[in-house]
Amino acid sequence: MPSLQEVADRAKVSIATVSRVLNKSDKVVPKTRATVERALSELGYRPSRVARRLRMKEGHAHLVGLIIPDIQNPFYAEIARGVEDVAYANEFALLLCNSDENLEKERFYLNVMQAESVDGIVLPPFDDTDPAVLEMVASGMPVVCVDRSLAKTKTDLVEVDNYRGALEAVNHLIDRGHTRIGLIEGRAQVSTNRERRRGYLDALAARGIAPQRELMRAGDFKLASGRVLANELLELRRPPTALFVGNNLMTVGALAALHQRGLRVPGDVAIVGFDDLPWAEALDPPLTVVRQPAYEVGRRAMELLLKRLAAPGAPVTTVRLRPELVVRRST
Amino acid sequence: MPSLQEVADRAKVSIATVSRVLNKSDKVVPKTRATVERALSELGYRPSRVARRLRMKEGHAHLVGLIIPDIQNPFYAEIARGVEDVAYANEFALLLCNSDENLEKERFYLNVMQAESVDGIVLPPFDDTDPAVLEMVASGMPVVCVDRSLAKTKTDLVEVDNYRGALEAVNHLIDRGHTRIGLIEGRAQVSTNRERRRGYLDALAARGIAPQRELMRAGDFKLASGRVLANELLELRRPPTALFVGNNLMTVGALAALHQRGLRVPGDVAIVGFDDLPWAEALDPPLTVVRQPAYEVGRRAMELLLKRLAAPGAPVTTVRLRPELVVRRST
DNA sequence: TTGTACGCGTTATCAC
DNA sequence: GTGATAACGCGTACAA
């Protein structure tokens, strides 16, 4: 890997001149520029982003961190794609990490990102009060929250109207004649989850249906918990006739439980889940879901970050996207 | 972000001493060490990985690059997970990029990685002769190929026995009584694809079935091409009674085409795909597939890279994993 | 217009 | 045992 110095030597100029050529400074006469450019290409010079980052003030790394709970979850994969596409279009690279909904891992990666002097970070906070993220924000690092939000601190944020999504989903179930509607929700500390629960409760209340504690179960957003909680609900003396499930993975788990018990969907039990799935169409039956515009979430988040880098002092902005009820054949 | 210097000032020692404390050098008397450690924690010192990387010889960045065609493809997401888990366990961070099977993007990201002085790179080459990757290898950068291999150059490599997988899949179809078996394959320049095609051909030959050119179609590994090619095959005057599809996304596309035409699976047309899918069980019908141990591929690849970093001069090693035919209900 | 020299935060090699 | 000090590769005031 040739350095500026080697190029300068070969072109018989100083490193300052080479640097100027590279940085498109106009203060260099055509002839010198030509010489330098030849040396540059002959040596196959590649600037070191590391050295550059060390020298420059923050905000010029062209590197951003993205922390997501699990890249194997299609919802987050789609967000990641949105972030990446905008990043690439602006020649930014991505430091991508899985937190596994694990505070330790998140903290480790956050440290790495700070130590790498990334320009900014995009992530869904672990919960409302995520201390590691709070620290990061306090340190002045640009942070854009996606999906979930922080309780007291306000950062740039892209979120989806979870309340509305849940409301529509449960209304849809009620319209189909269901009154015993089971809820399989996620971790209570997560803002999105609370919104979805609120939507569930309000939808019932609006139709004069009393919520039943035994029909509400909390899981951890993972597939297995969808399966076990669905089984718990189905084993009730008066089982629900419909299920509203709080995220994609738990929905698949619940569906598996239904199949395993030989229940017909939606004949015996209807099911609607939050988050769309890549092949929801090909599932048995095609799943009715509340679709979140995940790609859009990622895209907007990265755009917000770019805007923030351009105007560090600007007030924070919140983007709120609308989910969409996609009715297929599980309801 | 406090620097070594600031810590040194506060502890009234030199930066050399602080550095020694940090690097666990024993050449420092307990009392000084205590002072320094207090200053360290009071200031909340965090070492700069950037400065460190600039100073150190290569191989100490604790950062590796991973380039995959598409993070939204569950096969690659699983590989990424495998790589990440091993990386995290060894305190390595990941620079993750989507190449979109696009040489330009791949080249851009490869450049970034080199400029970032990553310790090594894991990727499935675009094709046999991928010039950007060849350059990278030539430059001395440790590269581990996964899934696909390079034609002339030998690097550390983790691959799956694609030939065997295809052989088993097509044998299975023949065992079920099929003789008109359509092939939907991917890009011919990709090593894995050629192996799968060879398996298809050999399986037919072994049972005395003459391959028919009209039954073989080449796509681009994407969902849409699975759909259109399946449609082409189904519109033949003598359509196939079974389909062998070259990757997961094209399989879903083909399945969609079958559904759309109101064909029964496997009654009218049987289908077996390469690569498992996360919810293959929940599909209609549950899909018979050749499962690749993708997580394992990622895991082993990162382990190979780690080994390479420990012993730069060692001969390259190839890991070959076995795929597994998972028979479900589409055949 | 071009060159010199400094500093970014480290690690490592010397002296003391 | 500890402290100066020289790199690492780059950008940029400042001098020429």
Side-chain angles (χ1 to χ4, degrees), chain B residues 4 19 45 48 52 55:
Chain B
L4 265 196
S19 178
Y45 171 82
S48 160
R52 175 167 218 279
R55 177 56 228 255

Side-chain angles (χ1 to χ4, degrees), chain A residues 65-84:
Chain A
L66 173 61
I67 302 186
I68 55 181
D70 179 13
I71 195 61
Q72 291 195 73
N73 180 325
F75 173 63
Y76 292 114
E78 196 177 336
I79 290 184
R81 242 352 258 261
V83 172
E84 211 239 19

Side-chain angles (χ1 to χ4, degrees), chain B residues 179-183 197 200-201 204 209-217 233 236 238:
Chain B
T179 55
R180 284 189 72 74
I181 301 175
L183 169 71
R197 159 189 269 259
Y200 166 83
L201 257 16
L204 293 183
I209 302 173
Q212 318 241 347
R213 178 153 258 108
E214 65 168 4
L215 292 183
M216 300 163 62
R217 310 275 157 152
L233 289 172
L236 252 28
R238 293 187 54 213

Side-chain angles (χ1 to χ4, degrees), chain A residues 207-226:
Chain A
R207 302 298 198 87
I209 302 172
Q212 317 240 349
R213 178 152 258 109
E214 66 168 4
L215 291 183
M216 300 163 63
R217 310 275 158 151
D220 61 3
F221 293 129
K222 295 178 188 165
L223 195 143
S225 81

Side-chain angles (χ1 to χ4, degrees), chain A residues 86-142:
Chain A
V86 175
Y88 177 71
N90 291 274
E91 303 184 278
F92 274 65
L94 227 52
L95 209 50
L96 179 58
C97 312
N98 294 302
S99 67
D100 285 331
E101 304 273 1
N102 171 342
L103 226 42
E104 279 317 303
K105 271 191 96 171
E106 184 183 275
R107 176 167 271 125
F108 169 77
Y109 282 129
L110 245 14
N111 267 335
V112 169
M113 288 174 182
Q114 186 146 10
E116 285 286 351
S117 304
V118 299
D119 290 331
I121 297 173
V122 174
L123 87 175
F126 176 73
D127 67 27
D128 261 307
T129 63
D130 192 327
V133 173
L134 258 29
E135 242 178 79
M136 196 60 44
V137 174
S139 82
M141 170 72 72

Side-chain angles (χ1 to χ4, degrees), chain B residues 80-100:
Chain B
R81 239 355 254 261
V83 172
E84 210 238 20
D85 284 354
V86 175
Y88 177 71
N90 291 274
E91 303 184 278
F92 274 64
L94 227 53
L95 209 50
L96 179 58
C97 312
N98 294 302
S99 68
D100 283 332

Side-chain angles (χ1 to χ4, degrees), chain A residues 226-228 230-231 234 252-263:
Chain A
R227 193 197 316 262
V228 308
N231 273 321
L234 267 15
V252 176
L255 189 60
L258 260 31
H259 282 320
Q260 202 173 336
R261 293 173 159 263
L263 263 18

